[in-house]
Structure formats: C-alpha cells, structure tokens
Amino acid sequence: MSTLRRVSSFLTVLSVFALTLTALAQQNQPQIGIAPVTLNAAPYTFDTAELHKIRVVIVARGLPHPFSLAFLPSGDALVTERGARLRIVRNATGAGGAQPALDPQPVAGIPATPGFRGGGLQEVALHPGFAGNRFVYFTYNKAGAVGANPNQRQSAVTLARGRFDGKALTGVEDLFTGDWSNGASGSRIAFGPNGHVFMTTGAPFGEQAQDSNTVYGKVLRLLDDGKVPADNPFAGKAGVRPEIYSLGHRDQLGLAIHGPSGAVIAAEHGPNGGDEVNVILPGRNYGWPKFTFGRSYEGPRMGDSPVAAGIEPPLVIWIPSIAPTGLTFYTGDRLAAWKGNLFVGSARRGEVPRTGGLERVVMNDKLEELRRETLLTELHQRIRDVRQGPDGLLYVLTDEDDGALLRIEPAP
C-alpha cells in the first residue's frame, strides 16, 4: 500500500472514531430542564406570600405561541400569535356568566408576512380613544431581502393600525417603518398619558444599540399618527434618528406606563443574566452592549463594569436571568393585597427550559423595590404576557405550542 493510501485510510478511521466519540458524548450529555408539561383542565390553587390563596383558571387554549394580549370593552380579548395571526377570545372575562371561547377565525386585515425567525406580527394595543375611533395598533416585522440563511433575512420593524369592526381590521395603514436590519426581534408599544406611542426595538447582537442612525436597540416615541413629536430629545439633531427617545437597549419584550407617576417602564433581556426593568428617561443611554450585569452565553463577563458615568442603572435586575417579557402594574381591587405591584412575565430562569413563571415586585410610591416573589413556577410554562383585565383580575399568556390564556383570581 502506498504512503498516500495509508495516510488516507488512517484519516478515514480517525474521522469515524471522532464522529463516534461525538455521538457517545451527545448521548451522555445531561438533558437540561424537565419534560414538557400539559396544563390540567381543572383550576390550580396556590398559596402566595401576601394573597392567600389564588386560583389559576384556563380561559382558552390552542393558541400557538401567543405574544400579546389586549382587552376590548366588551370583555373579549385580542391575542397575537407571534409572527402569525391575530385571534379573538370571546367572553374572555366571562362577564354575565358567558363561557369564554377562542374564535376559530383569525382577525382579517393583518399584513401577510413570509415566515422567518422573529418576523411577522408582534404586539397589539388599543388606542386610548378606541370607544370612538375603533383603532387597534400593532407592530410587525416587514420581510426584506433573503441572505444565505433564510431565517436571518432582513426586516424592518413597523407600527401599524386599523379599525376593528368586531371581526376584521379595515383601513390598515403603516404609521412608521424603521430601517432595514439583518434578522428581527420583538417589539412592544404603550400609550403615554398624553397619547404618545412608546415603542421598543431590539438589538441583541452587535453595536446597533449605540448607533444613533438606526432605530434598533432603542425606545421610540411617536405621535399616534406615526409622526415624530417636536419635543423628542434628538429631534432636529444631525445624524440621529428623531424617533429615538432612549438608546442602549438589548431585547425589550415588556413595556408599560406606571399610572401614578406616568413613568415609562420597560423589561429588557440581558444575555446570560443581567435582565432588567428600566425607567425610560428622555435622551438617556442604558449601556448595552458595553455595560451590562450579564455574561456571554459562553460564560465570560460582557464588560469591565456593569455601571458607568452617563449610563442609566436598572430599576430591577435579575441574576440569573428570567427572560423577562410582558409587564404590568396592578391597579385593581379584586386582588387587593397586590395593588401597586409590578408583574413581569418570565420565560425561563437561569437558562433552564420550562422554569418560567410570573415575577411580582413590591415597590413603594417612588418605584423603589421592597421585596419580590416568583409565582406560577409549578405550571412549568413560558409566561409571555401579563395584563390586567377590565374585571380587575390578572391574565397571563403561556408561550407554548398549545399556548393558553390564564386568569388569576382569588380562590373561593
């Protein structure tokens, strides 16, 4: 046998041996997380630190990966299936004893978007004057050019609205479209006390969050027609997108207005740890990607320090990460012991699958944290959104293949 053939045979054997070792190593790898859990039809009852006891009821199920929830004055609920459809849960609050039911027909009028990772439909919210104008606002990612990886095609984050007639959105129009970017991330919106629209955008990788000439990694502030308010902090400044209200953010999948103070509050994903809740102030820099309490997914710290002069510190942080999502301040009386508390959805804790829950943070009137509690971890579901219903109860969405709308109420 020639030397070349002997070398070739040796390399072939070595390659097969390496593949065999890899396969054996994979077989011996620990399976992180627990097996998927299916919710029971019967209500769950839990004890909590300050409300004894609560009952968790399944309102509707069969929602593939729901992302956002908005209640209509009738007690129906609009639910977005992330990247896909807008659905209606009829009689979601069960007012008058009516049974909730998921309408089999999606709401017509949502722009069709090719399927790609992070693309398509995201947030849904009602205009403050919905009773008169019937405006429903939503965010989605327009699909752009396809690169080598079809899951990483270009997209442009977009704010749109249409009039809801009970079954469909009519007169749908794009109010604002951002610049084109590789990939896509989620966005949330909230209406401020003066009717301005606050909108989050993500920039999980790279330097976009610090680039003032792109809308990504920012909180934006718009008028309800999509135009730029004249008093935005960067309006009229050369080289800066005028829509920008704050910068230096990673992925922001929760946004709410604190009623008593009017403060804009956003939940932001860190990388591996360092998840935050921030008070969003005009023109301020929140540090990503250089200043963070998180580590890279490989383990090392992301920067020399999580804090610096000129960088806004977080209001609340989580180490390890909780993958924070939708958030709301509870203002009702039905769950009186929780009045004024901040609730934040959690998809998973410490990078371990199926450890999601609902974070409850007790704050004083200056938005200073007093104590916190984690709820609903026994369900082993990814919690994607939390909202207060018109009945004064809390509702959450589970981000699963068979996602559900749940109601939290006092146990009888």
Side-chain angles (χ1 to χ4, degrees):
M1 180 183 292
S2 69
T3 300
L4 181 62
R5 290 184 62 187
R6 283 197 299 270
V7 171
S8 177
S9 298
F10 173 74
L11 291 176
T12 299
V13 171
L14 184 63
S15 176
V16 171
F17 180 66
L19 289 172
T20 302
L21 286 179
T22 300
L24 290 173
Q26 289 176 343
Q27 291 175 7
N28 293 326
Q29 286 293 320
Q31 296 300 308
I32 301 174
I34 66 171
V37 174
T38 300
L39 293 175
N40 298 328
Y44 295 81
T45 301
F46 302 120
D47 193 14
T48 72
E50 294 173 67
L51 187 63
H52 313 283
K53 294 182 176 180
I54 62 168
R55 183 169 68 174
V56 179
V57 178
I58 297 178
V59 176
R61 62 196 319 163
L63 293 155
H65 299 283
F67 183 77
S68 178
L69 170 66
F71 281 96
L72 297 164
S74 63
D76 292 351
L78 297 175
V79 179
T80 62
E81 295 171 350
R82 187 168 188 178
R85 304 176 295 181
L86 179 61
R87 308 294 299 277
I88 308 174
V89 179
R90 304 290 183 185
N91 305 311
T93 62
Q99 289 298 311
L102 177 63
D103 194 318
Q105 295 300 318
V107 175
I110 296 293
T113 303
F116 65 103
R117 184 176 180 180
L121 185 62
Q122 304 285 334
E123 175 77 303
V124 63
L126 305 187
H127 188 279
F130 175 82
N133 60 33
R134 307 294 294 178
F135 279 141
V136 170
Y137 284 64
F138 60 95
T139 64
Y140 72 104
N141 293 307
K142 287 180 180 290
V146 179
N149 183 348
N151 287 328
Q152 292 296 321
R153 69 190 301 161
Q154 286 196 319
S155 71
V157 68
T158 301
L159 174 69
R161 74 179 179 191
R163 283 189 167 89
F164 184 60
D165 65 7
K167 294 183 178 180
L169 293 180
T170 62
V172 172
E173 57 179 338
D174 292 341
L175 302 178
F176 164 79
T177 299
D179 46 297
W180 292 101
S181 177
N182 291 326
S185 62
S187 59
R188 295 282 191 183
I189 58 175
F191 286 90
N194 54 9
H196 289 153
V197 181
F198 291 90
M199 178 176 174
T200 67
T201 66
F205 308 106
E207 300 292 328
Q208 280 184 310
Q210 294 296 328
D211 183 352
S212 59
N213 201 32
T214 176
V215 301
Y216 298 101
K218 315 295 192 300
V219 174
L220 311 179
R221 181 177 180 245
L222 304 166
L223 299 175
D224 66 356
D225 61 1
K227 294 184 173 59
V228 177
D231 60 347
N232 265 13
F234 300 107
K237 294 187 177 181
V240 184
R241 292 292 300 246
E243 303 91 351
I244 295 174
Y245 192 74
S246 66
L247 68 155
H249 301 286
R250 194 170 181 266
D251 256 349
Q252 303 174 93
L253 300 184
L255 187 67
I257 306 298
H258 179 241
S261 66
V264 182
I265 308 294
E268 181 173 337
H269 280 233
N272 186 357
D275 296 339
E276 303 175 352
V277 167
N278 291 305
V279 177
I280 304 302
L281 301 172
R284 303 295 178 87
N285 190 333
Y286 291 77
W288 177 258
K290 186 175 181 180
F291 301 101
T292 173
F293 284 87
R295 299 173 179 268
S296 72
Y297 292 107
E298 292 75 30
R301 295 188 183 278
M302 296 289 291
D304 295 334
S305 173
V307 296
I311 300 300
E312 287 299 312
L315 181 69
V316 181
I317 63 169
W318 283 272
I319 301 174
S321 63
I322 63 162
T325 55
L327 59 82
T328 194
F329 285 92
Y330 181 70
T331 62
D333 295 317
R334 301 281 302 278
L335 305 166
W338 290 349
K339 195 161 188 174
N341 291 183
L342 171 66
F343 288 85
V344 184
S346 164
R348 66 181 183 184
R349 179 175 290 275
E351 305 298 327
V352 178
R354 302 181 188 91
T355 55
L358 185 64
E359 300 291 309
R360 183 179 71 91
V361 184
V362 182
M363 294 181 166
N364 62 21
D365 57 4
K366 296 180 181 179
L367 290 178
E368 296 166 332
E369 180 182 346
L370 302 179
R371 54 191 175 276
R372 64 176 80 176
E373 179 182 21
T374 303
L375 310 171
L376 309 189
T377 54
E378 300 92 336
L379 301 180
H380 297 289
Q381 304 289 298
R382 294 166 57 88
I383 302 300
R384 183 55 68 186
D385 202 6
V386 55
R387 307 281 176 162
Q388 183 175 321
D391 54 1
L393 298 174
L394 282 173
Y395 291 78
V396 299
L397 291 174
T398 69
D399 182 3
E400 307 288 344
D401 292 340
D402 180 19
L405 173 61
L406 309 179
R407 181 171 60 239
I408 301 175
E409 58 189 34

